[in-house]
């Protein structure tokens, strides 16, 4: 299928949740093997609107409410996928992955390899991620690095409605397990207001965005900011505020963590010499270190200065002043960009 | 058999738990109208209120001592109140204040009060294994303390619950599992997702006693709890208890319950365990004056706690870095024995 | 587009959540912008009453002439939130 030009303007703009639902509905109409399982995905339409309206069109056989048994239904998705179905299984909050983790990382992610390629696991595991609304330590994590660390799953993190739809089409059509992590704060839900940015023009027809291709959301010559999810928008806000001071930051949205588009980042750093990596996941052993290492391996000499901005290694606290302290905000990113520019 | 004084105590605690939820609802909605922004107002984040669950918390915890352990799920306030958790500190925690139970780190789904051995988890059924551990601890200490795990009927399909039943059973531990059946797991009615309508049936597969209390009645619940807790205390092992309760305020605040038939909502409001107990007490010649006294005492305690909590300072941002460990790595003592330990010198 | 064809008001009363006692709503998302062609039934915007979100469909086909209430604006049930000019 022809892929419409990215960021093509349409007259219609959609929230991220509506763009996702459109992709799911399209794939379900095209392919009877696609179905959706999760808690509160039928009548409720997903706690974060990920399946809003789908029950009406597809009925309970294909939009399946399942028991609170993450091990069983995620594992059932694995088995059904191996049998030829194309299930989408939803974890209501990514924080609940622990309950079904064996099915995720020992079965879903490894069966293709352990079978020597004799079988494939064409499923999507969707999950809501992220904090910023005081839901505390068990309901606010992103865990990006956890999934990206373990081999055998492709990991997708959209930041706009346009990307969300195209990446979800790609995910459902992919013959391998894809973990699709959507940030609650970006969905465009009335009770969880999104920043400006995730609501974009979205073509009505289906289109795919290939995995492993980062997107330069803002071009700039003075510093490279690499990030994902909600923090794409915070980084863009930081870049805008610095533009008044004559600092021109480039903002790269990773979009997929596995596969990772390290080339786009290396090219950008070759140009700017300064790298800031921003993550809403924990700092240690995670995405920030990985990106910086990937750049250093490519061309150590290209790096004049590096900063990482991430959650400190503490569980996410409930109370506002503390949650605000640990989750990187626009000012934290602005300050980090200034620091990598401080010898200029 | 419960005496009238005990019933009055239970009534007062139930009224307190109900009033607490009604007042938190008001506080929570402040700053969230007309636009419901979950992160706005004096209490941000999700809030799961337990109005309609009082008979369970009170009927069970009435038979517990401070040394007995309780784990509660994401809907914990009525259980915490009945277990004797410090009401002021708990309220300050819910308001995210420095003097809250956890200094504002936990919030309403994660209330911890070691003084009365109370803990929570917001992850469905994950409070069960630690309750088994509390039972194991009691057994190892040769104490007659018991542990109670509360869970919703939606949690009985989780491995953590089923594995806990087996471990408690095979080790003959003093644990009571209490299923609060309010018929709903968010938008999912139990018939849609669970194979049995009576969760107590799960007990049979683990060779332990299972009882269901059909009526949302604190006296019946208390009777069943007396047996189960007594069995545990006497060293006769775990039991499973399911009690019928009702969800009066939606799954969480702001839940419009579009998925729930009106008749079901109405029925939940009509079957009120507090009114039921009131009728019983009136039959025992408790007069209006006594009721007024019980109610105003309950309400005053709630008001006092909320007022106090709202005056408490917010935590410093830097407090976020504290408490990850009880012995932070940097403060770990030297490993090498000191001169004194070697007995070399005084 | 002729500017003397009549304008049709876009209102919310028809789609207001049935069992809500609340008379105030908030516009949360616009899906289209002024000057855009819309077909009858297209979702124009979404508003929120308490925690419930409701879509507002275009009452007629035409050009979205004026958005009277922007995102985050609060309004009373019955207020006009936009105007469509029939073509
Ligand atoms: C492992 C896990 N899965 C899903 C959730 C999301 N969740 C929170 S409450 C809830 C429903 C629980 O229903 P029930 O156990 O019956 O308790 P109730 O809310 O009715 O009191 C769900 C699915 C969770 N917290 N943890
Ligand atoms: Mg329930």
């Amino acid at each position: 299928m022809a892929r419409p030009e990215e960021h093509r303007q349409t007259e219609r703009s959609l929230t991220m949740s509506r763009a996702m639902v459109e992709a799911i509905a399209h794939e379900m109409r095209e392919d009877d093997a696609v179905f959706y399982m999760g808690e509160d995905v039928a009548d409720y339409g997903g706690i974060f609107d990920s399946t809003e309206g789908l029950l009406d069109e597809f009925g309970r056989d294909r939009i399946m409410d399942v028991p609170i048994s993450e091990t069983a239904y995620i594992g059932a998705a694995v088995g059904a996928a191996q049998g030829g179905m194309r299930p989408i299984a939803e974890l209501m909050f990514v924080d609940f992955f622990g309950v079904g983790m064996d099915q995720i990382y020992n079965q879903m992610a490894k069966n293709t390899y352990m079978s020597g390629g004799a079988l494939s696991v064409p499923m999507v595991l969707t999950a809501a991620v992220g904090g910023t609304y005081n839901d505390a330590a068990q309901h606010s994590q992103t865990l990006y690095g956890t999934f990206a660390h373990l081999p055998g799953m492709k990991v997708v993190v959209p930041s706009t409605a346009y990307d969300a739809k195209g990446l979800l089409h790609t995910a459902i059509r992919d013959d391998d397990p894809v973990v699709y992590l959507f940030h609650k704060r970006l969905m465009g839900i009335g009770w969880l207001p999104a920043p400006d940015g995730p609501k974009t023009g979205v073509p009505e027809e289906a289109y795919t965005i290939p995995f492993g291709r980062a997107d330069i959301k803002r071009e700039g010559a003075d510093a490279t900011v690499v990030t994902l999810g909600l923090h794409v928008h915070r980084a863009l806000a930081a870049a805008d505020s610095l533009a008044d001071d004559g600092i021109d930051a480039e903002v790269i949205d990773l979009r997929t963590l596995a596969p990772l588009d390290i080339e786009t980042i290396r090219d950008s750093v070759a140009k700017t010499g300064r790298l800031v990596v921003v993550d809403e996941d924990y700092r240690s052993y995670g995405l920030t270190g990985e990106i910086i290492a990937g750049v250093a391996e490519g061309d150590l000499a290209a790096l004049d200065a590096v900063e990482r901005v991430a959650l400190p290694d503490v569980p996410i606290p409930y109370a506002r002043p503390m949650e605000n302290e640990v989750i990187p905000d626009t000012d934290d990113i602005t300050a980090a960009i200034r620091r990598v520019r401080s010898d200029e | 058999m419960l005496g009238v004084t005990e019933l009055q105590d239970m009534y007062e605690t139930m009224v307190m738990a109900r009033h607490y939820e009604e007042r938190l609802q008001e506080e929570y909605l402040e700053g969230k109208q007309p636009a419901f922004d979950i992160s706005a107002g004096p209490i941000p984040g999700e809030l799961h209120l337990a109005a309609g669950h009082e008979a369970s918390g009170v009927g069970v915890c009435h038979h517990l001592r401070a040394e007995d352990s309780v784990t509660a799920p994401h809907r914990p306030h009525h259980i915490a109140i009945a277990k004797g958790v410090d009401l002021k500190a708990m309220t300050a925690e819910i308001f995210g204040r420095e003097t809250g139970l956890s200094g504002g780190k936990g919030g309403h789904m994660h209330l911890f009060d070691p003084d009365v051995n109370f803990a929570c988890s917001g992850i469905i059924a994950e409070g069960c294994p630690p309750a088994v551990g509390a039972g194991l601890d009691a057994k190892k200490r040769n104490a007659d303390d018991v542990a109670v795990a509360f869970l919703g009927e939606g949690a009985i399909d989780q491995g953590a619950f089923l594995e806990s039943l087996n471990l408690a059973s095979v080790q003959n531990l003093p644990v009571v599992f209490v299923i609060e059946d309010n018929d709903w797991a968010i938008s999912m009615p139990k018939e849609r997702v669970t194979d049995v309508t009576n969760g107590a049936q799960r007990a049979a597969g683990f060779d332990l006693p299972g009882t269901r209390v059909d009526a949302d009645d604190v006296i019946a619940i208390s009777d069943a709890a007396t047996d189960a807790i007594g069995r545990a205390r006497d060293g006769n092992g775990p039991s499973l208890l399911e009690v019928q309760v009702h969800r009066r305020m939606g799954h969480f605040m702001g839940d419009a319950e579009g998925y729930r038939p009106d008749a079901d909502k109405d029925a939940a409001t009509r079957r009120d365990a507090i009114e039921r107990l009131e009728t019983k007490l009136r039959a025992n010649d408790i007069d209006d004056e006594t009721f007024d006294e019980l109610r105003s005492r309950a309400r005053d305690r709630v008001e006092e706690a909320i007022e106090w909590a709202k005056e408490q300072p917010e935590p410093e941002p830097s407090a976020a870095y504290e408490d990850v460990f009880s012995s932070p790595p940097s403060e770990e003592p030297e490993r090498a024995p000191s001169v004194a330990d070697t007995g070399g010198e005084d | 587009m002729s500017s003397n064809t009549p304008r049709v008001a876009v209102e919310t009363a028809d789609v207001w959540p049935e069992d809500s006692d609340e008379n105030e709503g908030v516009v949360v998302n616009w899906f289209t912008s002024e000057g855009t062609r819309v077909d009858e039934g297209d979702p124009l915007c979404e508003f929120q009453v308490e925690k419930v979100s409701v879509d507002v469909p275009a009452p007629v086909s035409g050009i979205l002439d004026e958005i009277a209430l922007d995102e985050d604006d609060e309004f009373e049930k019955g207020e006009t939130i936009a105007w469509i000019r029939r073509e």
Side-chain angles (χ1 to χ4, degrees):
Chain A
M1 168 185 321
R3 192 163 58 87
E5 219 173 284
E6 291 195 20
H7 309 304
R8 138 192 162 154
Q9 286 304 306
T10 58
E11 296 199 320
R12 178 188 71 143
S13 45
L14 287 188
T15 59
M16 207 165 96
S17 74
R18 285 169 193 252
M20 285 170 57
V21 168
E22 212 168 80
I24 297 163
H26 181 98
E27 295 298 330
M28 288 184 68
R29 277 177 218 126
E30 298 279 300
D31 185 351
D32 287 342
V34 180
F35 67 101
Y36 205 104
M37 282 194 279
E39 292 151 14
D40 304 285
V41 299
D43 305 73
Y44 203 103
I47 298 299
F48 302 103
D49 291 357
S50 54
T51 54
E52 184 70 44
L54 293 176
L55 176 66
D56 286 347
E57 182 175 351
F58 299 102
R60 290 196 192 281
D61 285 346
R62 296 184 71 196
I63 301 295
M64 293 173 61
D65 267 350
V66 292
I68 309 175
S69 307
E70 284 81 4
T71 294
Y73 77 80
I74 293 171
V78 174
Q82 288 169 187
M85 301 300 287
R86 303 188 82 85
I88 306 170
E90 175 177 299
L91 256 179
M92 188 188 293
F93 289 71
V94 79
D95 313 66
F96 310 157
F97 84 108
V99 175
M101 193 56 177
D102 195 77
Q103 293 301 322
I104 297 169
Y105 92 114
N106 266 333
Q107 322 299 325
M108 181 185 88
K110 291 178 184 164
N111 283 359
T112 301
Y113 187 82
M114 294 191 300
S115 70
L119 53 80
S120 65
V121 189
M123 65 174 280
V124 181
L125 178 67
T126 58
V129 304
T132 73
Y133 65 102
N134 311 96
D135 224 8
Q138 295 181 335
H139 289 75
S140 300
Q141 302 165 98
T142 64
L143 303 176
Y144 297 136
T146 302
F147 291 91
H149 172 66
L150 297 160
M153 358 177 199
K154 299 173 181 173
V155 181
V156 178
V157 184
S159 73
T160 67
Y162 181 91
D163 288 351
K165 180 171 170 177
L167 289 165
L168 193 47
H169 276 295
T170 310
I172 299 170
R173 293 175 194 185
D174 198 289
D175 285 335
D176 289 313
V178 177
V179 178
Y180 184 100
L181 304 172
F182 55 88
H183 200 293
K184 295 162 228 170
R185 188 46 96 202
L186 297 179
M187 292 294 267
I189 307 164
W191 51 269
L192 193 53
D196 287 337
K199 196 171 80 184
T200 61
V202 177
E204 291 189 27
E205 65 270 30
Y207 58 97
T208 54
I209 294 174
F211 291 167
R213 216 177 279 177
D215 187 38
I216 300 176
K217 289 277 191 295
R218 182 187 199 281
E219 287 193 18
D222 298 337
T224 300
V225 183
V226 176
T227 187
L228 74 175
L230 172 65
H231 283 76
V232 169
H233 305 284
R234 295 190 169 184
L236 288 170
D240 281 349
S241 72
L242 287 166
D244 299 339
D245 295 352
I247 298 176
D248 187 17
E250 180 146 299
V251 176
I252 299 179
D253 177 2
L254 290 169
R255 297 202 297 196
T256 63
L257 303 186
L260 177 67
D261 179 5
I262 196 72
E263 284 313 320
T264 296
I265 302 167
R266 284 178 181 160
D267 289 350
S268 175
V269 175
K271 177 174 71 176
T272 65
R274 283 130 224 283
L275 175 61
V276 176
V277 189
V278 183
D279 188 13
E280 197 186 322
D281 197 3
Y282 306 115
R283 177 185 176 92
S284 295
Y285 306 98
L287 185 138
T288 50
E290 181 61 32
I291 299 293
I292 293 163
V295 170
E297 281 171 336
D299 183 1
L300 191 55
L303 273 173
D304 294 324
V306 177
E307 280 278 337
R308 49 174 160 169
V309 182
L311 282 191
D313 299 325
V314 305
I316 300 173
Y318 162 65
R320 244 181 228 123
M322 292 192 288
E323 197 206 37
N324 290 344
E325 168 72 17
V326 301
I327 298 184
D329 60 17
T330 300
D331 289 344
D332 296 324
I333 302 170
T334 309
I337 299 172
R338 283 190 193 284
R339 282 196 300 275
V340 293
R341 296 272 314 156
S342 59
D343 61 342
E344 283 289 302
Chain B
M1 264 300 285
L2 297 160
V4 176
T5 331
E6 277 180 288
L7 290 180
Q8 288 185 51
D9 279 353
M10 289 171 126
Y11 179 83
E12 185 178 331
T13 311
M14 286 171 77
V15 170
M16 185 158 79
R18 175 71 57 86
H19 189 61
Y20 193 70
E21 303 299 58
E22 286 167 352
R23 284 290 290 109
L24 284 191
Q25 176 175 40
E26 278 172 32
E27 296 288 337
Y28 183 79
L29 290 176
E30 197 161 301
K32 296 190 185 72
Q33 282 165 327
F36 189 107
D37 175 347
I38 190 169
S39 35
I43 305 175
E46 289 178 78
L47 185 66
H48 310 81
L49 298 181
H53 281 225
E54 296 85 1
S56 153
V58 174
V60 174
C61 294
H62 184 76
H63 304 284
L64 299 178
R65 318 180 291 223
E67 298 76 32
D68 297 326
S69 298
V70 163
T71 62
H74 58 286
R75 197 181 301 288
H77 303 165
H78 62 304
I79 305 168
I81 287 173
K83 184 65 172 72
V85 169
D86 184 318
L87 194 65
K88 284 182 173 171
M90 161 174 157
T91 310
E93 184 61 31
I94 294 168
F95 280 84
R97 303 306 168 105
E98 192 179 69
T99 47
L101 286 172
S102 317
K105 291 206 172 75
H108 111 98
M109 274 190 277
H110 316 106
L111 302 170
F112 294 86
D113 188 352
D115 288 346
V116 294
N117 292 297
F118 182 86
C120 287
S121 176
I123 311 295
I124 298 303
E126 296 294 333
C128 295
V132 173
L136 184 61
D137 171 56
K139 189 176 173 186
K140 284 186 178 298
R141 286 186 287 107
N142 281 320
D144 67 350
D145 304 334
V146 305
V148 180
F150 284 85
L151 55 147
E153 92 296 333
I156 70 169
D157 304 322
Q158 277 293 41
F161 167 61
L162 299 166
E163 293 176 30
S164 295
L165 289 181
N166 183 58
L167 182 57
S169 181
V170 76
Q171 294 278 340
N172 198 43
L173 299 177
V175 185
V176 180
F177 299 89
V178 179
I179 304 166
E180 300 188 307
D181 178 9
N182 63 7
D183 299 316
W184 294 90
I186 313 187
S187 71
M188 304 193 301
K190 66 177 176 182
E191 319 71 83
R192 188 180 304 152
V193 288
T194 300
D195 54 342
V196 293
T197 47
N198 172 3
Q201 280 178 250
R202 290 270 191 270
F206 299 93
D207 194 24
L208 47 87
T211 308
R212 176 177 157 88
V213 179
D214 275 319
D216 189 345
D217 175 4
V218 71
I219 298 174
I221 293 172
S222 159
D223 287 348
T226 310
D227 291 348
I229 293 168
R231 199 175 300 126
R233 225 185 270 300
D234 295 343
N236 296 322
S239 324
L240 175 60
L241 185 62
E242 175 167 276
V243 301
Q244 181 70 53
V245 294
H246 292 92
R247 197 180 83 185
R248 298 169 72 99
M249 288 180 168
H251 173 71
F252 35 29
M253 285 293 90
D255 179 5
E257 297 191 289
Y259 51 82
R260 187 174 181 185
D262 285 344
D264 185 82
K265 244 186 274 188
D266 293 346
T269 327
R270 275 200 312 275
R271 296 204 189 83
D272 185 356
I274 297 181
E275 280 171 22
R276 191 193 277 256
L277 180 56
E278 183 178 332
T279 309
K280 178 85 184 176
L281 284 168
R282 285 196 188 278
N284 278 282
D285 298 330
I286 302 300
D287 56 15
D288 284 344
E289 204 180 314
T290 314
F291 274 114
D292 286 347
E293 199 182 303
L294 295 172
R295 285 191 202 118
S296 60
R297 212 160 51 207
R299 280 156 196 257
D300 287 352
R301 276 200 61 200
V302 170
E303 295 307 329
E304 197 191 349
I306 291 177
E307 211 168 295
W308 184 82
K310 285 163 66 170
E311 285 164 2
Q312 298 305 298
E314 295 204 301
E316 288 300 321
S318 61
Y321 304 101
E322 295 161 9
D323 300 323
V324 179
F325 297 107
S326 55
S327 60
S330 55
E331 289 171 29
E332 234 165 67
E334 285 267 333
R335 289 265 178 252
S338 69
V339 175
D341 288 338
T342 61
E345 229 171 89
D346 243 352
Chain C
M1 193 204 321
S2 85
S3 54
N4 43 23
T5 48
R7 299 205 306 174
V8 177
V10 181
E11 285 172 7
T12 55
D14 287 350
V15 288
W16 204 268
E18 270 168 38
D19 43 9
S20 177
D21 309 329
E22 180 65 54
N23 277 318
E24 251 183 298
V26 186
V27 180
V28 283
N29 281 304
W30 272 100
F31 305 123
T32 184
S33 48
E34 286 179 357
T36 306
R37 239 209 82 81
V38 296
D39 287 330
E40 184 179 334
D42 278 357
L44 297 177
C45 69
E46 173 186 5
F47 69 95
Q48 190 195 7
V49 180
E50 293 169 309
K51 209 180 165 192
V52 185
S53 284
V54 187
D55 280 6
V56 183
V60 296
S61 298
I63 303 291
L64 184 65
D65 196 51
E66 183 190 339
I67 289 179
L69 292 164
D70 284 325
E71 287 179 10
D72 298 331
D73 282 356
E74 295 169 11
F75 64 97
E76 298 272 324
K77 184 173 176 175
E79 258 180 77
T80 297
I81 59 173
W83 297 90
I84 294 176
R85 192 175 294 284
R86 285 185 201 265
E87 281 188 301

